[in-house]
Amino acid sequence: MTLYTAETFTPAEQDILRRYVTNLRQPVFALVNLPEVVKGALFARYSRTHKSLRRLLIDEFVDDLDISGDETIDATVGVARAEQLYQRVFVEYGDDSVAQLGAVHLACEQASNVLTKVLERGRLMSYLEQSTRYLAYDERLHGRYRYYRPPAVTNSAAGTRYVGDVDAIFDAYGDMVQRMTAWLTEHHDAAPSVAGAGGDLARRRAIRAQAFDAARGLLPAASLSNVGIFGSGQAYEALLLRMRSHPLPEARSYGNLMLTELRKVIPSFLRRVDRPDRGIAWSDYLETNRTAMEEFAAELFAHETPEAVPEVVLTDWDPAGEDKMLASMLFPHTDLPESQIATRVADMTEAQRVDLVQRYVGDRTNRRHRPGRALERLDYRFDVLADYGSFRDLQRHRLLTIEWQPLTPRHGYTVPRLVDAAGGGEAYDEVMERSANLHDAVVDAAGPLEASYAVSMAYRVRYAMQFNAREAMHLIELAVPATGS
């Protein structure tokens, strides 16, 4: 059983919180009885604070809310009546689309950075995760560094070593943040995101962000994070079914916590999750297929080793994609069949093609001015080998298809240029060696799945990304913004 750190609140704080959250002690809870704009603002603040969502609500939001009429409200009031309302339509008639109409803001706290990738896999949900770029991760929670301690590891022969080594990695992370902060303060013109920052306070903040960014690769994947999720009942059902079939014990046990809280506010939408003939059968199907594929792949590639390939490889694209995109741009503006449009597009001159694209895209003065769905007509697929930290950033995007391999030290690691410039390369390498050795020890004691927690996020992970041109524009412009913001 996983032990989570429970918060403490005064009796007066408990009286307020009971109106707006579904429990006071567990790491998973739903937000209720709050205006939607307040829920959104809470989640927005969530990513750049060490505070839990309950503490954030008490410290920074309650004073600005009119709660005078909420004294008698209970967080789950009205659920029984809503249950009766949806029972006939959703359960008896089997109309799954009804489950798209009820949504929940769910706080998921003290989740490892391995688990957060499971939580954020679904396309039809919104996520906001605690940032490793804007927060110091060596701050302790009730006296302990904030990382996950998997029972299978802590109860094994490697348990004492795991705690000692991960504590040492967090110590090294704190030292690296201090080193980088001092160096950037002295050489701030060498860091592009720091140079030119307006005002002394803005410069200090920029320096801290750069220091955190340079040091975050040291953090192990066991590091704890808070994730805010907003999704429909249908999306939560799909997520829980995947979590219940997941090979990682943390994912399965955390899924049970989520199901308990969600049933306090949208019980009808989750009736099928643990029914033997529905949800359990579905989860069993997913687990059986995964196991079969793992066995097949292990046998097929038993004697294979990874070939040396570039870190990013475009593995697949459509040579006829441009013509298809141009035809799609024209399609809604004619009464012609697509085949006839495609024939005409094939005969267009280069100048006509450029003119068509320019008209379709228009005068973009802001990266949020995005062209239409014709750009979804062509796809690209990439094989990427990159550090786990950058993978975390890319994995959260909704439209793309992404699959990733287990996190291990096998593919080496990256060292930020600023770390080398500040003379921290040797200290960085020492942490990477400690992480790799700990990974191997945990593999022997508890298996390869649990060993991923020990791997620092500077280590590379291989993943495949597939997306259309519209999503490619979105991803690229997040990293290299167009004019405006």
Side-chain angles (χ1 to χ4, degrees), residues 79 113 352:
V79 171
N113 269 270
Q352 287 176 315

Side-chain angles (χ1 to χ4, degrees), residues 9 14 28 50 62 104 117 133 135 146 157 179 181 196 231 277 290 322 333 373 376 379 407 412 434 442 464:
F9 302 99
Q14 293 176 32
V28 180
H50 291 294
V62 165
V104 177
K117 301 307 100 196
R133 283 193 171 102
L135 297 173
R146 297 183 303 139
R179 177 196 292 265
T181 300
D277 60 331
R290 185 194 68 250
E322 181 179 302
H333 305 289
R373 293 185 175 181
E376 297 173 13
D379 289 297
L407 176 62
R434 182 187 292 273
V442 175

Side-chain angles (χ1 to χ4, degrees), residues 116-117 120-129 133 367 370 389-404 463-468 470-479:
T116 60
K117 301 307 100 196
E120 296 166 356
R121 189 177 180 91
R123 287 193 180 99
L124 302 179
M125 307 180 90
S126 299
Y127 313 95
L128 199 147
E129 183 177 347
R133 283 193 171 102
R367 66 178 173 84
R370 299 190 183 100
S390 63
F391 159 73
R392 292 171 64 256
D393 295 337
L394 292 173
Q395 185 262 349
R396 290 197 293 267
H397 294 286
R398 293 301 139 253
L399 294 181
L400 57 76
T401 296
I402 187 165
E403 296 285 354
W404 59 92
Y463 52 100
M465 299 174 64
Q466 183 171 329
F467 43 77
N468 59 50
R470 197 177 187 205
E471 177 68 3
M473 178 180 288
H474 170 70
L475 285 173
I476 292 168
E477 291 184 347
L478 281 178

Side-chain angles (χ1 to χ4, degrees), residues 16-316:
I16 293 174
L17 286 171
R18 286 193 182 96
R19 309 166 197 176
Y20 308 114
V21 300
T22 52
N23 75 71
L24 302 183
R25 296 185 62 81
Q26 294 296 325
V28 180
F29 54 93
L31 289 176
V32 292
N33 301 325
L34 287 167
E36 293 301 311
V37 67
V38 173
K39 296 176 189 175
L42 272 166
F43 275 9
R45 179 76 176 89
Y46 207 16
S47 67
R48 300 196 181 189
T49 178
H50 291 294
K51 295 179 181 179
S52 73
L53 201 70
R54 284 173 288 218
R55 176 52 58 192
L56 193 62
L57 176 61
I58 288 291
D59 289 353
E60 301 185 24
F61 283 80
V62 165
D63 288 344
D64 294 326
L65 294 175
D66 180 6
I67 62 174
S68 57
D70 294 349
E71 288 86 351
T72 61
I73 287 179
D74 179 84
T76 56
V77 69
V79 171
R81 186 173 182 180
E83 177 88 338
Q84 295 172 4
L85 180 65
Y86 283 109
Q87 175 71 19
R88 183 177 57 178
V89 177
F90 184 61
V91 179
E92 296 180 12
Y93 292 170
D95 189 352
D96 286 9
S97 62
V98 175
Q100 299 171 10
L101 304 178
V104 177
H105 286 82
L106 193 72
C108 298
E109 301 187 344
Q110 300 181 50
S112 77
N113 269 270
V114 178
L115 176 59
T116 60
K117 301 307 100 196
V118 179
L119 294 173
E120 296 166 356
R121 189 177 180 91
R123 287 193 180 99
L124 302 179
M125 307 180 90
S126 299
Y127 313 95
L128 199 147
E129 183 177 347
Q130 195 171 46
S131 175
T132 53
R133 283 193 171 102
Y134 299 101
L135 297 173
Y137 262 66
D138 59 340
E139 290 197 10
R140 298 175 185 252
L141 182 64
H142 288 203
R144 303 200 305 180
Y145 282 130
R146 297 183 303 139
Y147 62 86
Y148 185 65
R149 295 160 174 81
V153 176
T154 56
N155 294 332
S156 73
T160 301
R161 176 176 178 178
Y162 176 83
V163 173
D165 279 359
V166 177
D167 276 354
I169 289 174
F170 272 81
D171 288 339
Y173 164 84
D175 292 342
M176 184 63 69
V177 168
Q178 291 183 15
R179 177 196 292 265
M180 295 308 305
T181 300
W183 186 86
L184 287 164
T185 300
E186 184 178 353
H187 304 85
H188 62 273
D189 290 337
S193 66
V194 174
D200 187 57
L201 177 60
R203 190 176 76 89
R204 289 200 304 271
R205 287 177 175 171
I207 286 173
R208 282 178 59 81
Q210 278 284 88
F212 293 150
D213 194 35
R216 70 173 181 155
L218 300 179
L219 294 170
S223 301
L224 296 182
S225 184
N226 295 334
V227 180
I229 303 178
F230 178 70
S232 68
Q234 188 177 59
Y236 277 117
E237 181 186 55
L239 172 58
L240 291 172
L241 291 173
R242 290 197 305 271
M243 294 179 75
R244 291 172 69 88
S245 69
H246 201 279
L248 199 67
E250 183 190 11
R252 296 196 300 271
S253 62
Y254 208 91
N256 290 334
L257 293 175
M258 293 170 66
L259 179 59
T260 297
E261 298 310 306
L262 288 166
R263 276 186 165 157
K264 294 177 181 178
V265 288
I266 51 169
S268 295
F269 300 160
L270 301 170
R271 280 184 176 275
R272 303 180 301 189
V273 170
D274 50 5
R275 277 180 51 178
D277 60 331
R278 302 297 292 272
I280 291 178
W282 193 343
S283 294
D284 288 346
Y285 165 80
L286 295 174
E287 184 173 3
T288 299
N289 286 5
R290 185 194 68 250
T291 301
M293 286 303 302
E294 288 174 348
E295 292 173 350
F296 189 94
E299 181 178 350
L300 184 64
F301 300 113
H303 305 294
E304 299 276 353
T305 57
E307 298 176 351
V309 296
E311 290 185 335
V312 179
V313 179
L314 177 61
T315 60
D316 187 51

